[in-house]
Amino acid sequence: MNPFILATLLFGLGMGTTITFASSHWLLAWMGLEINTLAIIPLMARHHHPRAIEATTKYFLTQATAA
């Protein structure tokens, strides 16, 4: 994975966590959690192993159903 993309995803993960912890409204908390989801999915699929892809797909489908 490109180091710039990796740094961007890790920054997004940190930003989403910070927004979630610092939120005073449920909409901001939800937005932070969605940013975390968008950042963690590519990080989970970074290793091209069948189990990593399967876990990523299951996580995405569960999150999409819950949202």
Side-chain angles (χ1 to χ4, degrees):
M1 181 177 287
N2 187 351
F4 179 71
I5 294 173
L6 181 63
T8 303
L9 290 172
L10 291 175
F11 175 74
L13 192 62
M15 184 180 66
T17 303
T18 303
I19 289 173
T20 303
F21 283 143
S23 66
S24 61
H25 193 267
W26 65 269
L27 187 61
L28 286 173
W30 176 75
M31 186 174 67
L33 291 173
E34 290 299 320
I35 291 171
N36 277 343
T37 300
L38 291 175
I40 200 71
I41 287 176
L43 291 174
M44 287 174 63
R46 184 172 56 165
H47 303 291
H48 298 290
H49 190 273
R51 287 190 181 191
I53 302 300
E54 179 186 0
T56 303
T57 305
K58 287 179 179 178
Y59 182 77
F60 176 75
L61 292 174
T62 303
Q63 288 297 104
T65 303

